[in-house]
Amino acid sequence: MLKRIYSYMAIVVSSMLFLVACNDDDDKIKHFSTVVDVSKSSLAEDKYKIVTYFSTDGGKTYVDYPVINKGQQYQVKVLDADHEDVTEATCYVVDWSASNPQPISVDGGIATFEMTSVSDLSAVVTNVPFSAAAAVGTYTVVTDDWADFHAGDKVTVARVDDTHVQINEYPATNNQHHGLVLTITDLGLGTVVVAKQYSGAYGGDDTDTSGEGLASSCAGTISLTLDFEIDGDVYSGNVLELKKN
């Protein structure tokens, strides 16, 4: 029988499992633990809400308190704060290679193990890295506080190089227009810095734009908070959210 007790540390989410086995020492499970490290992912702020779930029926059903016998194969997966699977399908990579014993297989971030007398499972979660090439395409405007575009309008994103992409139509200056260039400062997290740049002019009013945000080529999302400076006046905190078609 398997019983799990949660304990949490500053940079990792850890769950400790203690097992009660039969009297035969050869069949006894002496130690079982799982550790999930999300410190290098966008899940870091929710580290205390990350959990592991287990399946003993080939992945058909998952439970948080499994009953696993020595020598039995089982699957284990990581769930986020919203109880969604943490896999490449949700734009995360789960590395189980630091586990002892090693997983028999890993499919989409879900690992298959065989229960041994001593098992220490380790899952290191990172984001699917940002790819400028994969980010290219047409996006739908979700939010534009600056009101150059309305929700539902379309803009296009182009690759400049591996760490820069450009929103061609934004902002919608009509004189000497320059599309907004985003610098991806951390490809793993998709951290965006919009260095202060000349964006053209609205009529005769020169416009500089700067800001920061996040971008995920895997999820097809760009979320920015932008400041616009027009002839010395600064308009701060304008949210721009885009979703790839």
Side-chain angles (χ1 to χ4, degrees):
M1 182 179 180
L2 182 66
K3 182 180 179 182
R4 181 164 58 179
I5 300 174
Y6 290 110
S7 68
Y8 297 108
M9 297 182 292
I11 60 171
V12 297
V13 181
S14 147
S15 63
M16 205 66 159
L17 295 91
F18 298 92
L19 300 101
V20 178
C22 59
N23 293 329
D24 188 344
D25 285 345
D26 291 338
D27 292 332
K28 185 175 291 184
I29 299 172
K30 300 176 182 178
H31 172 78
F32 189 109
S33 68
T34 63
V35 174
V36 179
D37 183 352
V38 297
S39 61
K40 294 180 175 62
S41 77
S42 57
L43 295 173
E45 291 185 358
D46 289 325
K47 58 182 177 288
Y48 298 121
K49 300 177 182 179
I50 309 302
V51 296
T52 48
Y53 265 52
F54 299 82
S55 174
T56 57
D57 59 6
K60 295 177 182 177
T61 58
Y62 283 84
V63 297
D64 53 352
Y65 297 101
V67 176
I68 308 174
N69 299 315
K70 185 179 176 183
Q72 183 178 0
Q73 290 190 10
Y74 62 96
Q75 286 74 43
V76 57
K77 64 181 179 179
V78 179
L79 276 68
D80 67 13
D82 296 321
H83 240 55
E84 292 186 357
D85 291 357
V86 174
T87 67
E88 290 185 13
T90 52
C91 297
Y92 296 101
V93 177
V94 185
D95 180 6
W96 296 94
S97 63
S99 300
N100 183 27
Q102 290 283 293
I104 296 170
S105 63
V106 179
D107 183 7
I110 299 173
T112 298
F113 290 92
E114 182 176 314
M115 180 61 69
T116 59
S117 60
V118 176
S119 296
D120 293 296
L121 308 189
S122 172
V124 178
V125 178
T126 55
N127 291 54
V128 172
F130 181 87
S131 164
V136 170
T138 302
Y139 287 69
T140 297
V141 176
V142 178
T143 302
D144 179 17
D145 287 348
W146 189 238
D148 272 1
F149 290 87
H150 299 96
D153 288 345
K154 309 297 182 184
V155 296
T156 55
V157 171
R159 176 185 179 275
V160 178
D161 57 34
D162 287 346
T163 57
H164 296 83
V165 296
Q166 185 171 37
I167 306 173
N168 290 330
E169 297 84 4
Y170 198 87
T173 50
N174 56 10
N175 185 17
Q176 296 184 346
H177 171 79
H178 289 258
L180 195 66
V181 176
L182 317 182
T183 302
I184 314 303
T185 57
D186 186 328
L187 294 175
L189 290 174
T191 305
V192 174
V193 169
V194 181
K196 187 175 180 179
Q197 56 196 267
Y198 177 64
S199 297
Y202 295 94
D205 297 326
D206 288 346
T207 302
D208 290 327
T209 310
S210 60
E212 61 185 9
L214 293 171
S216 171
S217 56
C218 174
T221 56
I222 297 174
S223 179
L224 307 173
T225 301
L226 299 171
D227 299 337
F228 297 90
E229 183 175 347
I230 302 177
D231 289 344
D233 295 323
V234 178
Y235 305 88
S236 301
N238 297 279
V239 173
L240 175 68
E241 294 179 326
L242 307 176
K243 175 66 177 176
K244 192 175 183 182
N245 292 356

